[in-house]
Amino acid sequence: MNKFTESERAAMAEELAVNGFNSLLRLIVLHDKNILDITSAKYKVGTYCCASGSTIKSWSKHGLRGVYVERALEFAACYHLPINAHQLEPTKAIIEQWLEYDYNLVKSGQAKASTFNGWDIAARGISDKESIKTASFECLMSVGEM
């Protein structure tokens, strides 16, 4: 059986996509002197991608999806920005690697270094969300071996 649930994979995919989108915006601000802040960069990418206002707004919460990834990469190429498709739309392998990394942080007692909040609490056998940050090595290890 898989070590991670589909909801954990989906949450990690979304978190990585949002991080990639935010990285793209910061790179745009750094490389274009006419774009002074993240909001302007977001508007510029949205305009280039022909996205609606609600779609642009959703990118901050969910990351870029579908054709918008390709268009954003085209936009980034105009500025010669060092960003790739897997940063905006993470692959299954990358999602698994980040889940494994975060899981190992939590189970080794380094939960403060963990930034991922998408653990499937029911599947992990932990009664409340805060407990995952303080759960013992044995609890996470035994549940992770499901």
Side-chain angles (χ1 to χ4, degrees):
M1 183 175 255
N2 292 328
K3 191 174 193 175
F4 306 110
T5 66
E6 286 305 313
S7 67
E8 289 170 339
R9 285 184 187 91
M12 181 59 80
E14 187 170 278
E15 182 174 308
L16 292 172
V18 169
N19 289 345
F21 176 62
N22 289 331
S23 294
L24 173 64
L25 296 178
R26 288 191 302 272
L27 285 169
I28 293 168
V29 172
L30 286 172
H31 287 85
D32 188 336
K33 294 177 183 173
N34 296 319
I35 300 176
L36 302 175
D37 58 22
I38 298 295
T39 304
S40 299
K42 192 184 306 183
Y43 175 76
K44 203 74 150 157
V45 172
T47 301
Y48 185 88
C49 292
C50 300
S52 68
S54 60
T55 299
I56 296 168
K57 189 175 181 179
S58 76
W59 292 343
S60 295
K61 293 182 181 178
H62 307 290
L64 295 164
R65 302 276 190 230
V67 69
Y68 296 119
V69 172
E70 295 169 25
R71 291 180 182 162
L73 288 171
E74 290 171 6
F75 181 82
C78 295
Y79 289 96
H80 306 288
L81 300 178
I83 196 152
N84 296 298
H86 71 274
Q87 292 170 282
L88 300 176
E89 191 172 48
T91 64
K92 290 178 183 180
I94 290 171
I95 293 164
E96 288 287 326
Q97 288 172 350
W98 276 104
L99 282 168
E100 188 69 37
Y101 172 78
D102 202 84
Y103 178 76
N104 287 329
L105 283 175
V106 173
K107 79 176 184 183
S108 68
Q110 299 176 32
K112 288 185 179 185
S114 168
T115 60
F116 182 60
N117 293 317
W119 294 114
D120 187 341
I121 302 305
R124 298 278 159 220
I126 299 171
S127 59
D128 65 81
K129 189 168 184 151
E130 194 54 38
S131 295
I132 196 146
K133 298 295 185 184
T134 58
S136 68
F137 172 80
E138 294 80 21
C139 178
L140 280 174
M141 192 60 185
S142 64
V143 174
E145 299 300 325
M146 295 175 87

